[in-house]
């Protein structure tokens, strides 16, 4: 199939409309996974008479029955991905603030 100008415009319009739907779907999935992890942590705290568990500990406690080494790797993986998501949030926030500070400076007339 040869990509002509009309096909490219149609594809870009479709992807432009699909983007926000994809973001909502991914965010919904992430919120649901955090909900499941929190609920599982509450059940594990009650079961093992613990005061609190973080996300890595929940992953470890819920999977140590299968394999201790896999549970350790799972705990490290959960903590790694949490750190990566926090770094991503912080980078996005810094870029958001920087763009708006530039817009305010140009509006006020500060060079």
């Amino acid at each position: 199939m040869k990509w002509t100008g009309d096909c490219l415009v149609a594809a870009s319009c479709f992807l432009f409309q699909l983007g926000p739907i994809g973001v909502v779907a991914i965010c919904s999935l992430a919120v649901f996974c955090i909900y499941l992890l929190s609920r599982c942590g509450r059940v594990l705290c009650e079961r093992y008479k613990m005061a609190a568990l973080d996300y890595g500990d929940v992953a470890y406690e819920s999977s140590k029955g299968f394999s201790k080494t896999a549970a350790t790797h799972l705990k490290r993986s959960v903590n790694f991905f949490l750190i990566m998501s926090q770094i991503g949030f912080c980078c996005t926030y810094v870029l958001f603030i920087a763009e708006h500070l530039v817009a305010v400076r140009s509006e006020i007339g500060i060079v």
Side-chain angles (χ1 to χ4, degrees):
M1 178 177 170
K2 185 176 179 182
W3 288 93
T4 61
D6 292 337
C7 285
L8 290 175
V9 169
S12 66
C13 287
F14 174 73
L15 291 176
F16 183 71
Q17 292 172 354
L18 187 66
I21 295 169
V23 168
V24 169
I26 290 172
C27 289
S28 299
L29 179 66
V31 168
F32 179 69
C33 288
I34 290 174
Y35 167 75
L36 286 179
L37 234 115
S38 298
R39 194 172 80 183
C40 184
R42 189 172 51 239
V43 168
L44 287 172
C45 283
E46 292 171 1
R47 182 180 297 168
Y48 296 122
K49 307 290 189 252
M50 296 179 171
L53 292 171
D54 64 6
Y55 290 134
D57 290 335
V58 169
Y60 179 80
E61 293 293 332
S62 63
S63 62
K64 73 178 179 182
F66 299 111
S67 168
K68 291 262 188 189
T69 56
T72 303
H73 292 303
L74 185 61
K75 178 180 178 177
R76 289 182 182 154
S77 297
V78 166
N79 287 331
F80 173 76
F81 286 119
L82 283 171
I83 289 169
M84 298 297 3
S85 66
Q86 290 298 319
I87 289 172
F89 296 150
C90 291
C91 291
T92 303
Y93 181 73
V94 166
L95 289 173
F96 177 79
I97 295 298
E99 286 178 359
H100 284 82
L101 285 177
V102 167
V104 168
R105 278 184 41 190
S106 66
E107 188 69 30
I108 294 174
I110 300 173
V111 177

